[in-house]
Amino acid sequence: MQTVPSNRDRVYAFIRDEILPDTTQHGSFLTEEQVAERVGGTSRTPVREAFLLLASEGLLQLVPRHGAYVPPVTRQEINEALEFRSFIETKAAEIVIERGTIPVEAMERALKHQVDSSDAGHEREFVEWDNEFHLALVRAVGNSLMTKSYADLRARHIRIGIRALMNTPERQKAVIAEHQAIVKGLKSEDPEVAKAALLGHIRTTASGLAEI
């Protein structure tokens, strides 16, 4: 039996999935009335609750008499997110190789979708599948806490990914090649090869965002 999401959850998902990744919204303020109207079928109270939840996660900043501020992607946010990914993904690679649970099919499926969405105008879809590619690796470990910790950063990963594509429009082709190298490294069943491919990919992403 499926649970109907509450209005707060609907507003939270709307802001997380539609507003936070939208670079045109970065540096702007959201009001309760504005968001309630855009979501539809809700009052200001669930919007306020969603604002508080997103603020507690560091994704919005509440400013009295102004509303909720949507912060631009910052250098600190990038450094912390990529450092976290380096730790989690390289450990995940070690574990799935050791246990023989390498999620080749799931990662290759996400990669195929990335290839299909690599045309101009599909950047958001491309980044969504980018996140799914990496999440598939972490999920394959079978550790629910690790998976949740990684999945909870989805909004940050997508914000950063879209910003990276804005900085370097030709980055999509490079990402696809780097993802292919990651899959190849995992298939080799050599943890060092797989980790080198992952870290190389993350470092290249970081270098494309160095000017922020």
Side-chain angles (χ1 to χ4, degrees), residues 28-175:
S28 66
F29 283 90
L30 306 174
T31 66
E32 294 172 7
E33 297 87 345
Q34 178 188 60
V35 173
E37 182 177 349
R38 290 182 65 181
V39 174
T42 187
S43 64
R44 291 173 52 184
T45 299
V47 177
R48 189 178 308 120
E49 293 171 350
F51 280 179
L52 289 168
L53 182 55
L54 288 159
S56 72
E57 296 173 359
L59 294 169
L60 291 178
Q61 298 170 9
L62 301 184
V63 181
R65 296 184 297 280
H66 285 82
Y69 179 68
V70 183
V73 175
T74 65
R75 167 51 49 191
Q76 181 178 354
E77 181 179 15
I78 293 167
N79 289 343
E80 291 179 353
L82 295 183
E83 185 176 53
F84 175 85
R85 284 183 54 188
S86 296
F87 289 141
I88 294 293
E89 293 182 37
T90 53
K91 186 60 179 179
E94 289 180 355
I95 294 172
V96 299
I97 289 173
E98 178 184 350
R99 295 178 180 172
T101 58
I102 303 169
V104 173
E105 184 178 343
M107 295 179 78
E108 288 185 335
R109 181 170 59 250
L111 181 52
K112 180 183 183 303
H113 282 292
Q114 276 198 288
V115 172
D116 292 342
S117 61
S118 60
D119 296 331
H122 295 87
E123 290 82 4
R124 170 68 183 276
E125 185 179 354
F126 183 90
V127 174
E128 292 273 9
W129 283 110
D130 183 280
N131 184 73
E132 182 58 32
F133 176 88
H134 292 280
L135 181 58
L137 171 60
V138 177
R139 192 186 290 125
V141 172
N143 184 313
S144 61
L145 292 178
M146 185 183 289
T147 299
K148 184 178 186 304
S149 295
Y150 193 94
D152 283 349
L153 293 179
R154 174 177 174 274
R156 292 188 187 277
H157 292 166
I158 291 174
R159 274 165 53 87
I160 292 169
I162 290 176
R163 183 58 191 270
L165 294 185
M166 286 180 59
N167 279 23
T168 315
E170 65 276 12
R171 176 76 182 128
Q172 287 175 314
K173 290 182 180 179
V175 167

